[in-house]
Amino acid sequence: MDRLLAVLHTFSRIALVFGLALLLPIGVSLWIGDGAYVAFDEALLGTLAVSGIAMMATQRFRRELRANDGVLLVVMCWLLLPAIACVPLLLGVPGLHVSDAYFEAVSGLTATGATALSGLDRLPPSINLWRTELHWIGGLGIIVLAVAILPMLGVGGRQLMKAEVPGPVKEAGITPRVTETAKGFWIIYIVLTALCTLAYGLFGMSWLDALTHAFSTVALGGFSSHDASLGFFNSPALEAITIVFALISGMSYVTHFAALSGRSFLPYWRDGEVPFYLGVLGASVLLIAGYLWHENYYTEFPTALRHAAFNTVSVATTLGYASTDYSKWPFFAPLWMLFLCSFVTCSGSTGGGIKMMRAIVLYKQVFREITHAMHPNATTYVKFGGT
């Protein structure tokens, strides 16, 4: 019981900080006057009150977390934080069922992007902003954010990082202190979001739409403020911007950190995943574009290339935006795109799937077994990134 209360104490601190994320949609709602601020106000006050009471009630159990505590805290965060996140949706979307609101919150925080809502164009803009802000918070990992913040509150974060972050990231040893590593990731994340917002705003979106879609794009989530997704804008320029930031977000933040620290592009070349990641995506875009053109789905190759590039990159990186209804394409194209999304993104990125690293290791292991069958006495090793 003492262990559970110690974890609950730390979780209450995380929930307290998480509740402050509601301030952004509150400010936007008051600024544009969409009337949804009441829902966010009530959710914020309730979160601060419950978290504060829980934190004070468990204060005497506060201690440095152990490895098993970190795993329990991660589970608690992914189960309970969506319960907090769904409150504004319940209060701000008339007729929304509790299960649908919780589903939407889980989908947002895990950057899954599946939605239970329709009529997005008619929702208060601050509600749509909150949905994509959940992507942004969950995209790089709630726990990585917690690692960056909790030391300021007197709580260590190493066990949380070990429990949450993918293997190649936790062993990278970018900085001596895990907190500094987490902060470095978040600085890059924030800068990318700001640049994406600026690019969207300069090329046709309203600034609120630009921020909403930047949250979703950099987190590779897929929520949009329009039922037609990015196809609502019908803009090749916006599609090109999305492709660029989706590709960047699909790469490891360890590699981004190393490149910025060393002020060199060499870390991308030396990364064991990036060449395969870009190569597979580039070949797939050309393959699908050529296939759609050959099947006369699009009579002009540039049109086929435009839609193939956007939708293939979007689906493969697990972003999930659409510029057209690709389910109507010849069967092979959407099937190949869905296959790609299961493994293409790099480990340590905001994308989903099993990650490119595991796909490469699996391929090399298969090749090793074939070699061993042909040459039983040969000594072969599976190497990744020179290791």
Side-chain angles (χ1 to χ4, degrees):
M1 180 58 71
D2 287 356
R3 175 192 171 197
L4 180 61
L5 292 174
V7 174
L8 180 60
H9 177 77
T10 302
F11 171 76
S12 65
R13 289 169 174 253
I14 294 176
L16 200 65
V17 174
F18 178 74
L20 297 179
L22 290 161
L23 292 174
L24 176 61
I26 288 174
V28 169
S29 180
L30 291 172
W31 175 44
I32 64 177
D34 65 4
Y37 69 91
V38 176
F40 292 109
D41 284 344
E42 293 178 3
L44 175 60
L45 292 175
T47 300
L48 295 181
V50 173
S51 300
I53 292 171
M55 187 171 64
M56 290 186 290
T58 55
Q59 177 66 29
R60 65 190 183 91
F61 297 98
R62 173 182 171 181
R63 59 172 172 77
E64 178 71 22
L65 297 180
R66 296 186 289 269
N68 290 341
D69 298 332
V71 174
L72 179 59
L73 180 56
V74 169
V75 173
M76 190 176 291
C77 284
W78 288 117
L79 288 177
L80 297 182
L81 288 182
I84 298 172
C86 78
V87 174
L89 301 177
L90 279 172
L91 298 176
V93 181
L96 187 63
H97 194 273
V98 174
S99 60
D100 288 338
Y102 187 79
F103 174 88
E104 195 77 7
V106 171
S107 182
L109 281 170
T110 57
T112 300
T115 181
L117 301 179
S118 59
L120 300 178
D121 302 80
R122 298 187 299 274
L123 288 179
S126 59
I127 292 290
N128 279 322
L129 180 65
W130 173 240
R131 293 169 61 244
T132 58
E133 187 184 0
L134 293 178
H135 273 337
W136 193 77
I137 294 171
L140 199 57
I142 293 174
I143 309 304
V144 178
L145 174 62
V147 168
I149 292 177
L150 287 180
M152 303 177 192
L153 308 176
V155 180
R158 181 167 294 275
Q159 301 307 332
L160 302 186
M161 187 71 127
K162 288 182 178 180
E164 172 68 12
V165 177
V169 178
K170 71 177 74 170
E171 302 299 335
I174 296 174
T175 61
R177 293 176 58 84
V178 68
T179 303
E180 295 304 316
T181 299
K183 288 179 181 177
F185 291 167
W186 272 93
I187 289 172
I188 296 171
Y189 197 49
I190 292 170
V191 170
L192 284 177
T193 305
L195 291 175
C196 189
T197 302
L198 183 62
Y200 278 150
L202 291 176
F203 283 87
M205 287 189 185
S206 69
W207 288 108
L208 183 54
D209 256 348
L211 179 60
T212 299
H213 286 85
F215 278 161
S216 186
T217 300
V218 175
L220 294 178
F223 280 167
S224 174
S225 53
H226 304 284
D227 287 326
S229 189
L230 214 74
F232 172 85
F233 301 97
N234 191 28
S235 168
L238 293 177
E239 292 167 15
I241 292 167
T242 304
I243 290 173
V244 169
F245 282 95
L247 288 174
I248 293 172
S249 296
M251 298 179 193
S252 172
Y253 274 73
V254 176
T255 306
H256 293 325
F257 190 99
L260 287 175
S261 299
R263 298 181 181 179
S264 169
F265 288 104
L266 283 178
Y268 295 104
W269 177 253
R270 294 170 180 167
D271 189 295
E273 294 175 289
V274 170
F276 284 90
Y277 166 71
L278 295 177
V280 168
L281 278 176
S284 296
V285 167
L286 293 175
L287 174 66
I288 292 176
Y291 177 68
L292 294 175
W293 183 51
H294 179 268
E295 293 294 316
N296 291 319
Y297 193 88
Y298 295 108
T299 56
E300 297 181 356
F301 183 75
T303 304
L305 183 61
R306 169 193 167 185
H307 291 294
F310 179 81
N311 291 284
T312 301
V313 170
S314 178
V315 174
T317 59
T318 70
L319 171 57
Y321 283 159
S323 63
T324 186
D325 187 359
Y326 53 78
S327 66
K328 296 179 180 178
W329 287 359
F331 182 68
F332 168 77
L335 181 65
W336 183 255
M337 288 157 56
L338 290 172
F339 170 67
L340 292 177
C341 80
S342 68
F343 71 91
V344 159
T345 56
C346 302
S347 54
S349 70
T350 58
I354 66 171
K355 310 301 184 186
M356 179 60 78
M357 181 199 73
R358 294 184 177 93
I360 294 171
V361 171
L362 179 62
Y363 162 75
K364 290 187 174 183
Q365 176 63 15
V366 170
F367 187 78
R368 175 185 178 276
E369 291 299 322
I370 294 174
T371 303
H372 187 69
M374 297 173 61
H375 306 283
N377 296 325
T379 302
T380 56
Y381 300 97
V382 173
K383 292 185 178 181
F384 177 78
T387 302

